[in-house]
Amino acid sequence: MASAMADSGAAGVGNSKTGYNRFLLLVAGLGGLLYGVDVGIIAGALPYLEATSRLNAGQLSIVVAAVLLGSVISTLFAGLLADWMGRKPLMIWSGVLFVLSIPVIALAHGYGPLVLGRLLQGVSAGLIGVVVPLYLAECLSASSRGKGTGIFQWLLTLGIVSAALVGIYFSIRVDEVAKLGDPERLFAFKDSAWRSIFWVSLPPGILFVIGSSLVAESPRWLFRRGKKEAALAALLRSRSDEQANSELREMEETSAAEKAKTSTGERVKESLLRRKYVIPFVLACVILACNQTTGINSIIGYNTNILLQSGLSDVQAHWGYVIFTMMNFLMTIGGVMLVDRKGRKFLLSLGSAGIIVSLIWTGILFRRTEKLRVDSRDSVQAMVGPDQKLTLRYEAQTADALLAGSGEAGKAIAGRPTSLSIIYSYGDFRAATKVARSDDMAAKPIEITRESTVPANKVVAFFSNPFGNLDAARTAPLRIDNALITPVPGARNGWLVALTLYLFVAFYAVGPGVCVWLALSELMPTRIRSNGMSIALLINQGFSTGIAAVFLPTVGKFGYGTMFFAFAACTVVYFLTAALFLPETKGKTLEEIEAHFEDAKA
């Protein structure tokens, strides 16, 4: 009888710990969901914001980019804040900032509140990107750490899918209202649509704040603050007595070893420059940088445009993007299931190898048509008015007229659907137009103006071109650097490109998508983890910003094929790093991973 009661009690304790671990994963997953919403929500809202606001192109660009600026700022200080106030309070505050950002944006009636709200979203995303993987790494057991961090990435992709589906829903509704032929009603609905898109993202933020307030603080943060009993209590919420005591002993042994070195005269500094910290820190930075040079953010952000230029219609391209985001979401589930079975090294090697093949295939498909492109720069330059502006409706007749002035190369593609990309500049400030297709009858005319190209002030000018002469650009003539006309292939080619991109995102989701957050949180020792993660993630965002800055100009001048080949070449570095230099961390405690790098440098 007593034995049965003991077994029942043990089962009850086990069930409570399983329930808590699931709740912890749910809370962390909501953090990933918010991160994904931050990335994807603007894509669906932007067309309606652009149609109903009085913001110019430069102001709209800043509204879009404000998230990145806020994220960079908060990432820089996230590690320091996590060490100062603790992981749990910082998670709560990151959620509060996200919740506050929604009404600021959705109720905005001017440029200032929109930028402020987007900055708050960016600050929230930067904090979440550091503190949630950090918290998971320090709270989960070695056997479930990969799965836990994978769930963060899985729900991050769900956030992107959700944003895409919300965008599609309002796109269909707007189309229905447009068919009624009432301009005032259509304007009012578009204004309501972009605000509603932001309101939809509020409930997950509230749930994240509530959930973060109910989980325990990181046991390793508590231990380093000298709160040994609190650390043990935190461990016991998710582990058995034996597991909790074992991990606590490992923390004590690691701490004792450091104290012993100090007592023998060896100086121990909390510095990233110590020899035993260099290898894991550099590995984490290289992996995060390579993660961006796969082109993942640009391929997500410009997916619809890519599919349009590959030969799909507007509706096909938008649905193609929805399928793309859903593939990312579904394949991330596979990565979550495999990461603690096959290991990080295997999945990163497999994923990066698959990415290389799919990117090369995509590049070849684009190169087949882009090698036929024609530069009609002189003809377009002749269309520039005395006010140094250009308004051009690109349709079949316009395309044929431009191609007629381009010699034999132009005649070879005349009469076919084509796309036009114009790269232009006012002084030192260069830009590229959105790609226009000659068979898109509903497209707006291409409009190039000084106001939409030259920054309004020196602060914005510094971020656009730190070395540009703003005063000279305000009076410089409009110069057409390139006006590239490219034949648009058929829908068959478009769906082949879509297939290669689905393979790309499938391999990304199974490998880098899940493992990059683990590499960020697992590789670096406990003493530098928070600050090291901040610096590594800042490098990651720096590469992301750089790629975003060169993507459109590069595509405009050299074509998508060149861009995809460049991404493939960069991913080769990713594969070699994962296959040759990355140690396997599957099933190891954080202290064991730290000991591996200490032994490697001994």
Side-chain angles (χ1 to χ4, degrees), residues 46 48-56 60 114 187 191 194:
L46 187 61
Y48 312 126
L49 176 62
E50 184 176 9
T52 59
S53 70
R54 296 181 179 179
L55 306 183
N56 60 41
L60 284 168
L114 281 170
F187 181 91
D191 184 68
W194 72 260

Side-chain angles (χ1 to χ4, degrees), residues 495-514:
W495 285 117
L496 282 174
V497 169
L499 176 61
T500 63
L501 293 181
Y502 298 156
L503 288 174
F504 163 83
V505 78
F507 280 111
Y508 177 86
V510 168
V514 170

Side-chain angles (χ1 to χ4, degrees), residues 190-249:
K190 285 184 175 181
D191 184 68
S192 173
W194 72 260
R195 298 178 191 275
S196 298
I197 288 173
F198 282 103
W199 280 121
V200 167
S201 62
L202 182 60
I206 295 174
L207 290 175
F208 179 69
V209 172
I210 295 172
S212 296
S213 66
L214 297 177
V215 297
E217 178 56 272
S218 160
R220 286 170 173 82
W221 183 84
L222 291 169
F223 181 82
R224 292 191 61 78
R225 286 299 178 108
K227 301 177 181 179
K228 180 178 174 180
E229 292 184 1
L232 179 60
L235 286 169
L236 287 170
R237 290 194 68 178
S238 59
R239 293 157 173 78
S240 66
D241 292 355
E242 182 181 353
Q243 291 173 326
N245 286 309
S246 175
E247 287 201 34
L248 188 63
R249 281 196 300 271

Side-chain angles (χ1 to χ4, degrees), residues 14-171:
N15 289 335
S16 68
K17 295 183 188 301
T18 300
Y20 174 76
N21 282 327
R22 288 175 178 170
F23 177 70
L24 190 152
L25 293 177
L26 174 63
V27 172
L30 284 171
L33 184 69
L34 296 189
Y35 196 100
V37 169
D38 278 339
V39 170
I41 198 69
I42 192 64
L46 187 61
Y48 312 126
L49 176 62
E50 184 176 9
T52 59
S53 70
R54 296 181 179 179
L55 306 183
N56 60 41
Q59 290 174 324
L60 284 168
S61 297
I62 293 174
V63 169
V64 174
V67 163
L68 180 61
L69 177 60
S71 181
V72 168
I73 293 170
S74 61
T75 297
L76 189 59
F77 298 102
L80 294 173
L81 291 172
D83 280 344
W84 172 59
M85 68 169 61
R87 287 42 166 159
K88 175 180 173 178
L90 189 58
M91 286 170 62
I92 295 171
W93 276 109
S94 64
V96 168
L97 289 174
F98 180 87
V99 170
L100 289 176
S101 73
I102 300 303
V104 172
I105 296 171
L107 299 175
H109 288 280
Y111 175 58
L114 281 170
V115 173
L116 174 61
R118 294 286 287 166
L119 278 172
L120 287 175
Q121 280 195 329
V123 170
S124 170
L127 295 176
I128 288 172
V130 172
V131 73
V132 173
L134 172 64
Y135 178 79
L136 287 173
E138 294 184 346
C139 290
L140 294 174
S141 63
S143 62
S144 60
R145 194 170 57 240
K147 184 186 296 182
T149 308
I151 287 175
F152 174 82
Q153 172 67 16
W154 177 48
L155 287 185
L156 187 157
T157 63
L158 178 60
I160 297 174
V161 171
S162 301
L165 291 175
V166 168
I168 281 287
Y169 169 77
F170 280 100
S171 175

